[in-house]
Amino acid sequence: MSILTTPHIDVHRGGDRMKTRVAWLDSKHSFSFGEHYDPENTHHGLLLVNNEDIVAPDQGFDTHPHRDMEIVTWVLSGALVHQDSLGHSGVIYPGLAQRMSAGTGILHSEKNDAWRLAPEQGGAAERTEPVHFVQMWVVPDEPGLTPGYQQLEVDDELAGGGLVTVAAGLPRYRDRTAIAINSSHSALHVARMPGAGEGPTVHLPEAPYLHLFVARGEVELEGVGVLYEGDAVRLARSGGQRVIAKLPSEILVWEMHARLGAQ
């Protein structure tokens, strides 16, 4: 993997993302995905997928395969049921970090049918509302790893309003990360910011590659300007900029110290 040495900041507006829309799904893709392919927009750093999905009640993604990818799912509202070929089954909801390591191969489904589950499994008594989530894929350190799954509640940490590490392979975060990923050059940070100048000041980490995604709300990034819901910024050889919430907001920040490229 190689590292870019020239500072660079690239703003991508939410309305310019590639889109997949069917009766039950509204999906927006930050990078090439499925039938949407742009050779100039395949990844940033080690991040290959940043999909924002809204799935209708009683609908979802049927059982399908993945391989050699670290997949992190972050729910913004509603609840998503995960089931996989390793026997894991559970509900992902706001504040619950979830990681699936595809490794040598795994099958899983993701459905908006949490109301079907028993209460002790996190099920709701009534049919759920649409589920809104972001799914992100990063490249593992090596192919052929053993598939795995992990989830952990991080809601209390997010209540402080600062940047919280929720998934990481970077050694510097191993003592405080919620979930571990098999990518030793990557970490995902999340902040739920109260807005209107409230809460702690959030600064981006410094790294060769950063990806800032505004999942909810409206923020101002120092040196860039206002970013709206769905906007993303790709930074290289940068970091340290202050992020100020104009409205109650939620941001997802990938910190990466390598990129796809020559070994």
Short mmCIF file of all heavy atoms in Angstrom, two decimals, residues 180-207:
data_model
loop_
_atom_site.label_atom_id
_atom_site.label_comp_id
_atom_site.label_asym_id
_atom_site.label_seq_id
_atom_site.Cartn_x
_atom_site.Cartn_y
_atom_site.Cartn_z
N ALA A 180 -13.25 -4.16 16.84
CA ALA A 180 -11.97 -4.29 16.14
C ALA A 180 -12.22 -4.70 14.69
O ALA A 180 -13.09 -5.52 14.41
CB ALA A 180 -11.11 -5.34 16.83
N ILE A 181 -11.46 -4.12 13.77
CA ILE A 181 -11.50 -4.51 12.37
C ILE A 181 -10.13 -4.98 11.95
O ILE A 181 -9.12 -4.55 12.50
CB ILE A 181 -11.99 -3.36 11.45
CG1 ILE A 181 -11.13 -2.11 11.64
CG2 ILE A 181 -13.46 -3.06 11.70
CD1 ILE A 181 -11.49 -0.97 10.69
N ASN A 182 -10.11 -5.88 10.97
CA ASN A 182 -8.85 -6.45 10.47
C ASN A 182 -8.23 -5.55 9.41
O ASN A 182 -7.92 -5.97 8.31
CB ASN A 182 -9.10 -7.85 9.91
CG ASN A 182 -9.57 -8.82 10.96
OD1 ASN A 182 -8.92 -8.99 12.00
ND2 ASN A 182 -10.72 -9.45 10.72
N SER A 183 -8.06 -4.30 9.78
CA SER A 183 -7.43 -3.31 8.90
C SER A 183 -6.59 -2.40 9.78
O SER A 183 -7.09 -1.44 10.38
CB SER A 183 -8.50 -2.50 8.14
OG SER A 183 -7.90 -1.53 7.30
N SER A 184 -5.30 -2.72 9.91
CA SER A 184 -4.44 -2.06 10.88
C SER A 184 -4.09 -0.62 10.50
O SER A 184 -3.38 0.05 11.25
CB SER A 184 -3.15 -2.87 11.06
OG SER A 184 -2.46 -3.01 9.83
N HIS A 185 -4.59 -0.16 9.36
CA HIS A 185 -4.35 1.23 8.93
C HIS A 185 -5.61 2.08 8.99
O HIS A 185 -5.61 3.21 8.49
CB HIS A 185 -3.81 1.24 7.50
CG HIS A 185 -2.52 0.51 7.32
ND1 HIS A 185 -1.30 1.01 7.76
CD2 HIS A 185 -2.23 -0.71 6.79
CE1 HIS A 185 -0.34 0.15 7.48
NE2 HIS A 185 -0.88 -0.90 6.90
N SER A 186 -6.70 1.58 9.60
CA SER A 186 -7.99 2.26 9.52
C SER A 186 -8.67 2.38 10.88
O SER A 186 -8.50 1.54 11.76
CB SER A 186 -8.95 1.49 8.59
OG SER A 186 -8.37 1.27 7.32
N ALA A 187 -9.47 3.45 11.02
CA ALA A 187 -10.32 3.63 12.20
C ALA A 187 -11.52 4.48 11.80
O ALA A 187 -11.40 5.41 11.00
CB ALA A 187 -9.55 4.30 13.33
N LEU A 188 -12.67 4.16 12.39
CA LEU A 188 -13.88 4.94 12.18
C LEU A 188 -14.24 5.67 13.46
O LEU A 188 -14.32 5.06 14.54
CB LEU A 188 -15.05 4.02 11.78
CG LEU A 188 -16.43 4.67 11.73
CD1 LEU A 188 -16.51 5.76 10.65
CD2 LEU A 188 -17.53 3.62 11.52
N HIS A 189 -14.44 6.98 13.34
CA HIS A 189 -14.86 7.82 14.46
C HIS A 189 -16.23 8.40 14.16
O HIS A 189 -16.54 8.72 13.01
CB HIS A 189 -13.87 8.95 14.69
CG HIS A 189 -12.42 8.54 14.68
ND1 HIS A 189 -11.81 7.91 15.74
CD2 HIS A 189 -11.47 8.66 13.71
CE1 HIS A 189 -10.54 7.68 15.44
NE2 HIS A 189 -10.31 8.10 14.21
N VAL A 190 -17.05 8.55 15.20
CA VAL A 190 -18.38 9.12 15.06
C VAL A 190 -18.57 10.21 16.10
O VAL A 190 -18.10 10.08 17.23
CB VAL A 190 -19.46 8.03 15.23
CG1 VAL A 190 -20.87 8.65 15.14
CG2 VAL A 190 -19.31 6.93 14.20
N ALA A 191 -19.26 11.28 15.71
CA ALA A 191 -19.64 12.32 16.66
C ALA A 191 -21.10 12.67 16.46
O ALA A 191 -21.55 12.87 15.33
CB ALA A 191 -18.77 13.57 16.50
N ARG A 192 -21.85 12.71 17.56
CA ARG A 192 -23.20 13.26 17.58
C ARG A 192 -23.09 14.63 18.21
O ARG A 192 -22.87 14.75 19.42
CB ARG A 192 -24.14 12.38 18.39
CG ARG A 192 -24.57 11.11 17.71
CD ARG A 192 -25.57 10.39 18.59
NE ARG A 192 -25.92 9.09 18.03
CZ ARG A 192 -26.45 8.12 18.74
NH1 ARG A 192 -26.68 8.30 20.04
NH2 ARG A 192 -26.77 6.98 18.17
N MET A 193 -23.28 15.64 17.41
CA MET A 193 -23.00 17.01 17.84
C MET A 193 -24.31 17.74 18.09
O MET A 193 -25.20 17.76 17.23
CB MET A 193 -22.17 17.71 16.77
CG MET A 193 -20.90 16.93 16.41
SD MET A 193 -20.04 17.56 14.94
CE MET A 193 -19.43 19.10 15.59
N PRO A 194 -24.47 18.38 19.27
CA PRO A 194 -25.73 19.03 19.62
C PRO A 194 -26.12 20.18 18.69
O PRO A 194 -27.28 20.42 18.45
CB PRO A 194 -25.49 19.54 21.05
CG PRO A 194 -24.33 18.75 21.54
CD PRO A 194 -23.49 18.44 20.35
N GLY A 195 -25.13 20.89 18.16
CA GLY A 195 -25.43 22.00 17.27
C GLY A 195 -25.49 23.33 17.99
O GLY A 195 -25.49 23.41 19.22
N ALA A 196 -25.54 24.40 17.19
CA ALA A 196 -25.67 25.77 17.70
C ALA A 196 -24.57 26.12 18.71
O ALA A 196 -24.80 26.82 19.69
CB ALA A 196 -27.04 25.98 18.32
N GLY A 197 -23.36 25.62 18.46
CA GLY A 197 -22.23 25.96 19.30
C GLY A 197 -22.17 25.22 20.61
O GLY A 197 -21.31 25.49 21.45
N GLU A 198 -23.07 24.26 20.84
CA GLU A 198 -23.07 23.50 22.09
C GLU A 198 -22.15 22.29 21.96
O GLU A 198 -21.81 21.86 20.87
CB GLU A 198 -24.49 23.04 22.41
CG GLU A 198 -25.48 24.18 22.56
CD GLU A 198 -26.89 23.69 22.81
OE1 GLU A 198 -27.05 22.49 23.07
OE2 GLU A 198 -27.82 24.51 22.73
N GLY A 199 -21.78 21.74 23.10
CA GLY A 199 -20.94 20.55 23.09
C GLY A 199 -19.48 20.88 22.86
O GLY A 199 -19.11 22.03 22.59
N PRO A 200 -18.61 19.86 22.95
CA PRO A 200 -17.17 20.08 22.76
C PRO A 200 -16.82 20.37 21.31
O PRO A 200 -17.56 20.03 20.39
CB PRO A 200 -16.56 18.74 23.21
CG PRO A 200 -17.64 17.75 22.94
CD PRO A 200 -18.94 18.45 23.22
N THR A 201 -15.68 21.01 21.14
CA THR A 201 -15.18 21.26 19.79
C THR A 201 -14.63 19.96 19.22
O THR A 201 -13.91 19.22 19.89
CB THR A 201 -14.06 22.32 19.81
OG1 THR A 201 -14.61 23.54 20.31
CG2 THR A 201 -13.51 22.55 18.41
N VAL A 202 -14.97 19.68 17.97
CA VAL A 202 -14.51 18.47 17.30
C VAL A 202 -13.43 18.84 16.28
O VAL A 202 -13.65 19.73 15.45
CB VAL A 202 -15.67 17.75 16.60
CG1 VAL A 202 -15.16 16.61 15.73
CG2 VAL A 202 -16.66 17.21 17.63
N HIS A 203 -12.29 18.18 16.36
CA HIS A 203 -11.23 18.36 15.38
C HIS A 203 -10.99 17.03 14.66
O HIS A 203 -11.02 15.97 15.29
CB HIS A 203 -9.92 18.81 16.06
CG HIS A 203 -9.94 20.21 16.56
ND1 HIS A 203 -10.40 20.54 17.82
CD2 HIS A 203 -9.58 21.38 15.97
CE1 HIS A 203 -10.30 21.85 18.00
NE2 HIS A 203 -9.81 22.38 16.90
N LEU A 204 -10.76 17.11 13.36
CA LEU A 204 -10.45 15.91 12.60
C LEU A 204 -9.07 15.39 13.00
O LEU A 204 -8.16 16.18 13.26
CB LEU A 204 -10.46 16.20 11.11
CG LEU A 204 -11.80 16.62 10.49
CD1 LEU A 204 -11.64 16.84 8.99
CD2 LEU A 204 -12.88 15.60 10.76
N PRO A 205 -8.91 14.08 13.04
CA PRO A 205 -7.56 13.54 13.29
C PRO A 205 -6.65 13.85 12.10
O PRO A 205 -7.13 14.13 11.00
CB PRO A 205 -7.82 12.03 13.42
CG PRO A 205 -9.09 11.79 12.68
CD PRO A 205 -9.91 13.03 12.84
N GLU A 206 -5.37 13.83 12.34
CA GLU A 206 -4.42 14.04 11.25
C GLU A 206 -4.01 12.68 10.69
O GLU A 206 -3.64 11.78 11.44
CB GLU A 206 -3.21 14.82 11.75
CG GLU A 206 -3.55 16.23 12.19
CD GLU A 206 -2.33 17.07 12.48
OE1 GLU A 206 -1.21 16.57 12.22
OE2 GLU A 206 -2.48 18.20 12.95
N ALA A 207 -4.10 12.54 9.37
CA ALA A 207 -3.81 11.25 8.74
C ALA A 207 -3.55 11.46 7.26
O ALA A 207 -3.96 12.47 6.67
CB ALA A 207 -4.99 10.30 8.93
#
